[in-house]
């Protein structure tokens, strides 16, 4: 009995008390000045944010960098610039929210550029096909995000078109926290889900219809693939083209605002 109590106490110390103490120490440290420079350079929103949001962001970044492991692939050497840029963009999605820092995520795999992902599919009749796909990003619900570094910063023109690879993949991470990646992240109540579902379904169907008729859309056409991609591309647009999204899709903007709890239109 005594031995069991000792083992339980040790387990609590090793797996609960010690990690919390370590995290507290990490959060108490000053945010390195070279990290702040990286944020100002690579995260356009940062310099326009009010101080309290900047502080929140820096705190989340410190936790993210403490808890997640970055792995360079295909010979890539991971630098502070890569780690801070990815963490900064990922943590932009957590501001003002009572959310943990991607609790299911453990590893970020960084490739220098587009990477080839092998896919194995079993067709009817038991035929197995292997395909090679060139990708710039992937989000897995088993704790991994994979990114092509040359696409993380992207071209300035990409941002003006509302594209951001990191925001996209981390929106998928938020989506998968519910247990299924289906375009609905964790919301507060059944009522919130009902509103979310109504607005998102309408907007998703509108995008599909606009594209079928050959209309230009401010939402990335890739969002018409399925509701999960719709949530990911509208998240990109919410942070990168907030004025246009709010103007042309006010109901959609309102839903994203109620989830993300920041208004990127203020960051100008
Ligand atoms: Zn996607």
């Amino acid at each position: 009995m005594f031995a069991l109590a000792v083992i339980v106490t040790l387990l609590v110390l090793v797996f609960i008390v010690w990690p919390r103490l370590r995290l507290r120490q990490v959060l108490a440290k000053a945010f390195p000045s070279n990290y702040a420079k990286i944020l100002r350079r690579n995260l356009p929103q940062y310099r326009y944010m009010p101080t309290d949001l900047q502080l929140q962001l820096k705190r989340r970044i410190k936790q993210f960098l403490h808890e997640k492991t970055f792995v360079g692939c295909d010979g890539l050497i991971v630098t502070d610039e890569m780690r801070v840029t990815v963490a900064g963009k990922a943590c932009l999605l957590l501001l003002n929210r009572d959310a943990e820092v991607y609790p299911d995520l453990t590893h970020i795999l960084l490739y220098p550029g587009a990477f080839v992902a092998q896919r194995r599919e079993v067709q009817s009749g038991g035929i197995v096909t292997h395909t090679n796909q060139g990708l710039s990003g992937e989000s897995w619900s088993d704790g991994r995000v994979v990114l092509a570094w040359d696409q993380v910063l992207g071209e300035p023109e990409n941002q003006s078109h509302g594209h951001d690879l990191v925001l996209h993949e981390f929106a998928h991470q938020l989506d998968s926290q519910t247990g299924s990646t289906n375009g609905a992240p964790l919301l507060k109540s059944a009522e919130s889900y009902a509103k979310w579902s109504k607005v998102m379904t309408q907007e998703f169907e509108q995008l599909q219809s606009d594209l079928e008729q050959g209309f230009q859309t401010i939402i990335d056409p890739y969002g018409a693939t399925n509701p999960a991609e719709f949530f990911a591309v509208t998240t990109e647009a919410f942070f990168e083209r907030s004025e246009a999204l709010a103007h042309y899709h006010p109901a959609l903007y309102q839903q994203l605002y109620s989830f993300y709890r920041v208004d990127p239109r203020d960051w100008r």
Side-chain angles (χ1 to χ4, degrees):
M1 200 62 190
F2 177 72
L4 182 65
V6 170
I7 291 170
V8 169
T9 306
L10 277 175
L11 288 174
V12 168
L13 281 173
V14 170
F15 291 104
I16 299 176
V17 177
W18 173 243
R20 281 187 191 164
L21 281 174
R22 273 293 297 139
L23 179 60
R24 202 181 293 173
Q25 285 174 341
V26 166
L27 294 180
K29 282 187 185 163
F31 195 75
S33 60
N34 65 316
Y35 287 12
K37 275 187 199 154
I38 294 167
L39 289 182
R40 277 195 289 277
R41 195 161 60 235
N42 294 345
L43 202 72
Q45 297 90 345
Y46 176 76
R47 67 182 82 165
Y48 300 110
M49 277 178 196
T51 311
D52 70 308
L53 283 186
Q54 287 184 339
L55 289 173
Q56 270 192 53
L57 186 66
K58 289 193 272 195
R59 191 179 164 83
R60 301 270 191 186
I61 291 171
K62 282 191 274 186
Q63 185 172 350
F64 189 102
L65 295 177
H66 169 62
E67 292 176 344
K68 321 298 178 197
T69 303
F70 282 75
V71 180
C73 305
D74 275 358
L76 184 75
I77 307 287
V78 177
T79 63
D80 279 350
E81 172 150 37
M82 295 171 189
R83 294 167 69 246
V84 173
T85 303
V86 170
K89 285 171 181 268
C91 292
L92 206 54
L93 306 185
L94 305 177
L95 294 173
N96 277 352
R97 301 205 298 116
D98 186 19
E100 291 182 66
V101 179
Y102 302 100
D104 304 328
L105 177 72
T106 57
H107 287 80
I108 295 101
L109 278 63
L110 284 181
Y111 283 84
F115 52 92
V116 174
Q118 288 211 335
R119 291 281 177 272
R120 178 179 176 275
E121 281 181 46
V122 182
Q123 315 279 346
S124 59
I127 303 164
V128 179
T129 56
H130 295 267
T131 49
N132 287 333
Q133 282 183 295
L135 297 173
S136 54
E138 276 188 318
S139 168
W140 293 79
S141 51
D142 67 358
R144 285 176 295 150
V145 165
V146 192
L147 299 165
W149 170 245
D150 69 349
Q151 301 295 311
V152 167
L153 290 181
E155 305 295 328
E157 75 203 41
N158 254 349
Q159 279 171 4
S160 66
H161 285 100
H163 297 305
D164 190 298
L165 176 66
V166 180
L167 298 183
H168 184 107
E169 300 305 338
F170 280 84
H172 283 320
Q173 282 289 308
L174 295 178
D175 191 357
S176 64
Q177 282 172 4
T178 56
S180 68
T181 311
N182 59 4
L186 284 171
L187 300 172
K188 281 201 163 50
S189 63
E191 194 192 352
S192 308
Y193 275 108
K195 273 192 207 156
W196 181 275
S197 169
K198 183 165 175 262
V199 172
M200 292 310 222
T201 303
Q202 265 173 7
E203 295 276 351
F204 175 66
E205 289 173 355
Q206 186 64 50
L207 178 64
Q208 289 186 317
S209 154
D210 287 350
L211 293 171
E212 274 164 25
Q213 293 174 74
F215 295 157
Q216 287 271 356
T217 60
I218 63 150
I219 300 173
D220 184 342
Y222 187 58
T225 311
N226 57 46
E229 296 305 341
F230 185 76
F231 173 55
V233 304
T234 53
T235 290
E236 293 177 75
F238 180 75
F239 285 95
E240 298 290 343
R241 295 189 82 186
S242 49
E243 289 285 353
L245 192 70
H247 182 75
Y248 291 104
H249 301 272
L252 170 63
Y253 194 87
Q254 183 57 41
Q255 285 304 305
L256 291 167
Y257 172 69
S258 68
F259 176 64
Y260 285 119
R261 309 190 75 79
V262 288
D263 191 342
R265 288 176 296 180
D266 296 339
W267 304 338
R268 290 180 290 148

